[in-house]
Amino acid sequence: EDWSVKGADSARPSTVFFNLCHYVDPADCAEKDDAFAYRVSTTTNQCEYLTSAEPQGEIALETSNGDKTGIRILRAGGDACPADESRSLTFTLDVWCNEDTVRNPKSIVSAMRGPSDDLDPCNVYVSLEHAAGCPVMDLQPALDVLGVLMIFFGVTLQYFGIKVQKVFMRTIVC
């Protein structure tokens, strides 16, 4: 099932269709297929793809907004941006943590920009609530400790000199 939301840009009224599990059904875009997000103008019925079958960029990061936490997915590779023909349209989706929403997402909202983002006419921003936005395990504390240990052992090896470094390298390799 594809999800849809009314576009936030009042100068270009549209409906945004998206899905992250499979390609969207491009019923409104007969000339194109294989994308994860597209929008259709409500005034001209013009279809613009926000992603492609082979995304030119995809980033998933952890994000927060006040008391909400979740993940951010950025996908690139859409049609040429109407505001700047040298750039492609992109799609940004914030999935906020809501452990009670397991099946269909809740509170799907389109906005001109995400929290703490600059206004970008070539980016379409959508946020929603779903259990998939909840962190499973936070590894940051363990990574911080690992980083400190690596720095400590690096400085220690440098202090003791080349003989200890050779023994250390033989121990690691063998």
Side-chain angles (χ1 to χ4, degrees), residues 8-9 83 87 111-125:
D9 189 354
R87 296 175 53 205
M112 292 296 288
R113 61 189 176 102
S116 71
D117 290 342
D118 293 330
L119 185 62
D120 182 0
C122 298
N123 184 55
V124 174
Y125 173 80

Side-chain angles (χ1 to χ4, degrees), residues 33-166:
D33 59 356
D34 294 349
F36 293 97
Y38 70 95
R39 71 178 172 192
V40 177
S41 168
T42 54
T43 56
T44 65
N45 282 338
Q46 179 185 1
C47 179
E48 294 175 318
Y49 271 47
L50 308 175
T51 67
S52 66
E54 298 166 10
Q56 296 167 3
E58 178 172 344
I59 302 171
L61 352 136
E62 193 172 326
T63 188
S64 64
N65 181 20
D67 61 340
K68 294 194 286 187
T69 60
I71 60 169
R72 170 169 282 190
I73 300 168
L74 301 127
R75 295 200 72 155
D79 291 341
C81 175
D84 183 355
E85 293 288 327
S86 67
R87 296 175 53 205
S88 296
L89 288 169
T90 58
F91 180 66
T92 300
L93 177 68
D94 280 346
V95 182
W96 301 112
C97 177
N98 184 340
E99 293 176 350
D100 299 330
T101 308
V102 198
R103 183 76 179 133
N104 289 322
K106 288 175 37 177
S107 305
I108 301 175
V109 177
S110 178
M112 292 296 288
R113 61 189 176 102
S116 71
D117 290 342
D118 293 330
L119 185 62
D120 182 0
C122 298
N123 184 55
V124 174
Y125 173 80
V126 174
S127 70
L128 57 87
E129 293 179 5
H130 195 272
C134 300
V136 177
M137 184 183 324
D138 185 11
L139 296 177
Q140 191 61 47
L143 292 174
D144 292 343
V145 170
L146 180 62
V148 168
L149 288 173
M150 291 173 74
I151 291 170
F152 172 76
F153 284 116
V155 170
T156 304
L157 283 173
Q158 289 299 316
Y159 177 77
F160 286 112
I162 194 75
K163 286 185 179 183
V164 173
Q165 290 176 14
K166 286 181 181 180

